[in-house]
């Protein structure tokens, strides 16, 4: 008859560890760092609607100047938004609050829509498709991430 012997070592006890620095960085901060160096036109705003990060191509597309100069500005104040009428009048406050980055912030849901922007003096108006998603900061919304694409017709 075969003989089997079993030996058990001590019980596995997980070791205490110090959390890595990455565990303390919120998704808003992570996305802000990513957006700041992204090739694609995108931006991150905080819960107050202030720009935290904008990619160089996003800043150029929206007429915000150098990305560093746009940081801290309220998005709806920094953009020259116009309506979709033939005259292209300035988009007033109630409607300007419904652009995708701000709508995603308020609704805490994905938002997509078109924005009509004048990127600079003497530059023709541009229609931009914007897709925005809320970003978590712990257990609450900390901002939004928006990807932008010019609409060419």
């Amino acid at each position: 008859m075969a003989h089997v012997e079993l030996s058990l070592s001590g019980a596995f006890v997980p070791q205490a560890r110090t959390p890595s620095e990455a565990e303390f960085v919120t998704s808003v901060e992570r996305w802000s760092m990513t957006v700041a160096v992204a090739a694609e036109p995108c931006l991150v705003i905080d819960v107050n609607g202030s720009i935290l990060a904008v990619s160089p191509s996003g800043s150029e597309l929206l007429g915000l100047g150098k990305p560093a100069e746009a940081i801290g500005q309220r998005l709806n104040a920094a953009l020259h938004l116009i309506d979709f009428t033939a005259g292209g009048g300035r988009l007033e406050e109630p409607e300007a609050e419904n652009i995708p980055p701000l709508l995603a912030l308020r609704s805490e849901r994905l938002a997509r829509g078109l924005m009509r922007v004048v990127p600079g003096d003497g530059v023709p108006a541009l229609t931009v498709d914007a897709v925005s998603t809320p970003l978590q900061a712990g257990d609450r919304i900390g901002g939004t991430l928006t990807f932008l694409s010019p609409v060419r017709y």
Side-chain angles (χ1 to χ4, degrees):
M1 174 178 238
H3 177 75
V4 176
E5 199 172 310
L6 178 63
S7 173
L8 297 174
S9 59
F12 173 74
V13 178
Q15 297 297 314
R17 65 180 182 83
T18 305
S20 68
E21 183 180 326
E23 293 179 63
F24 295 112
V25 178
T26 67
S27 66
V28 174
E29 293 167 325
R30 256 191 216 113
W31 277 110
S32 293
M33 291 183 287
T34 302
V35 163
V37 296
E40 299 80 10
C42 50
L43 63 94
V44 174
I45 62 169
D46 66 11
V47 292
N48 300 316
S50 297
I51 300 169
L52 292 177
V54 62
S55 66
S57 59
S59 187
E60 182 181 338
L61 178 70
L62 298 174
L64 296 174
K66 294 185 186 288
E69 295 168 358
I71 306 301
Q73 294 184 47
R74 288 199 33 89
L75 182 63
N76 57 353
L79 295 179
H80 183 181
L81 297 167
I82 60 173
D83 60 28
F84 283 90
T85 63
R90 185 154 184 89
L91 198 61
E92 297 302 323
E93 194 64 32
E95 292 85 16
E97 290 294 321
N98 288 323
I99 62 173
L102 299 175
L103 183 59
L105 191 63
R106 197 172 56 255
S107 68
E108 299 183 3
R109 293 188 171 164
L110 187 69
R112 182 177 188 187
L114 297 175
M115 302 184 305
R116 198 161 171 219
V117 180
V118 178
D121 295 332
V123 179
L126 176 68
T127 302
V128 177
D129 184 11
V131 179
S132 300
T133 186
L135 297 174
Q136 293 292 122
D139 59 346
R140 58 184 168 64
I141 299 299
T144 63
L145 167 65
T146 303
F147 291 97
L148 308 159
S149 178
V151 176
R152 310 271 188 224
Y153 24 83

